[in-house]
Amino acid sequence: MKVLGIDPGTAACGFGIVQESGGRLSAIAHGWWRTSARERPELRLRTIFEGVTELIEEHAPGFVVLEESFVGADARIALSVGQARGAVLVASALAGIECAEYAPARVKQAVCGYGRADKEQVQRMVKAILSLPEKPSPHHAADALAVAICHALMPPLAKVAG
């Protein structure tokens, strides 16, 4: 099973693809899309939409999973992240791929064993779990791989329940 993980955002949107086979996990691809605040919002969202569409076409994941967004009191950030999530969800829906979402604490618990792990801990554990030669960078890509790992490690019934 291949899982495409997404760490949504408009300025930086991380992605990571994990393959689970026989109880073993491996990284297929990871990276991020970066857009400039000087770009028009619709063009920034188009970058994310097209990036997700290309990854789906190239890698044919069975699931697309997103990290739920944690946003503080800044409504602009919440709106921006929500728009990026929408671009990912629409690209997935058009490809006929089921989506799931996981809270950051649940992802950290699955990957690090501790729901309040910091970015550095997540990067180190993703590197170890996937036997990568170095920590995935930037942290947006590591977070995307982490959410994909979280989904791949879930029991089958939990995946259906979302």
Side-chain angles (χ1 to χ4, degrees), residues 6-124:
I6 300 287
D7 178 29
T10 50
C13 184
F15 68 86
I17 301 173
V18 170
Q19 170 83 48
E20 186 276 328
S21 180
R24 296 186 54 98
L25 297 176
S26 58
I28 304 297
H30 64 276
W32 63 319
W33 301 289
R34 188 172 182 183
T35 64
S36 170
R38 294 184 189 125
E39 262 188 299
R40 295 190 333 254
E42 66 273 21
L43 297 178
R44 297 174 83 183
L45 295 174
R46 180 180 176 178
T47 297
I48 295 164
F49 175 85
E50 289 176 346
V52 171
T53 299
E54 287 174 17
L55 287 173
I56 289 171
E57 288 173 357
E58 182 178 348
H59 297 284
F63 289 91
V64 174
V65 295
L66 298 94
E67 184 173 86
E68 289 177 357
S69 303
F70 171 78
V71 289
D74 193 336
R76 286 182 329 179
I77 292 174
L79 178 62
S80 172
V81 170
Q83 290 173 336
R85 291 167 39 79
V88 172
L89 293 172
V90 170
S92 302
L94 288 174
I97 298 182
E98 187 176 341
C99 295
E101 299 178 51
Y102 297 95
R106 188 169 183 186
V107 173
K108 292 173 182 179
Q109 179 69 37
V111 173
C112 300
Y114 176 59
R116 293 183 176 221
D118 62 28
K119 298 274 185 203
E120 177 68 25
Q121 288 172 299
V122 171
Q123 285 179 303
R124 280 195 315 266

